[in-house]
Amino acid sequence: LFFISAQFGADDFGVLLPTAEQQCIAAFKNLQRALTDGGRTALDVAKLTVYMVHGRCGISQYRAAEGRFFPRDALPAVTIIFVPSLATENILVQIEAVAA
């Protein structure tokens, strides 16, 4: 198994993006990079755990980003957990993955 932790919404330069939608997309891009570095693809992902800041990031932003990353017929199991905050005040979403 291949475990990927704490992918969040920063760009290629480590700058945290301002909106929930942008952060969701960037978190998935960072996840893709980690998978590629590990010799895997989105199709290898078996499980995602997603942490979202309650009231600042919603399911619609997450699902839109998820749809860019995973084919609809190959979605992994997903657990979404709403939390009051993450590591820093402006991180709105964090994604962890388990790939086979």
Side-chain angles (χ1 to χ4, degrees):
L1 296 177
F2 186 67
F3 296 89
I4 300 170
S5 64
Q7 300 304 302
F8 59 94
D11 66 14
D12 292 341
F13 301 101
V15 176
L16 194 61
L17 297 170
T19 70
E21 181 179 0
Q22 290 172 323
Q23 285 195 26
C24 286
I25 292 167
F28 274 111
K29 286 181 180 178
N30 294 333
L31 176 63
Q32 176 65 55
R33 185 175 301 117
L35 287 166
T36 299
D37 289 349
R40 290 166 173 84
T41 71
L43 296 176
D44 296 315
V45 176
K47 171 81 168 79
L48 295 175
T49 303
V50 182
Y51 299 91
M52 291 191 280
V53 175
H54 181 69
R56 296 184 64 200
C57 186
I59 297 291
S60 62
Q61 291 106 341
Y62 169 79
R63 291 287 184 213
E66 176 189 62
R68 293 180 177 200
F69 185 72
F70 290 105
R72 281 288 162 212
D73 61 346
L75 290 173
V78 178
T79 299
I80 296 174
I81 303 167
F82 285 96
V83 296
S85 65
L86 289 164
T88 67
E89 179 182 344
N90 293 320
I91 295 176
L92 304 178
V93 63
Q94 177 178 303
I95 302 172
E96 297 178 352
V98 177

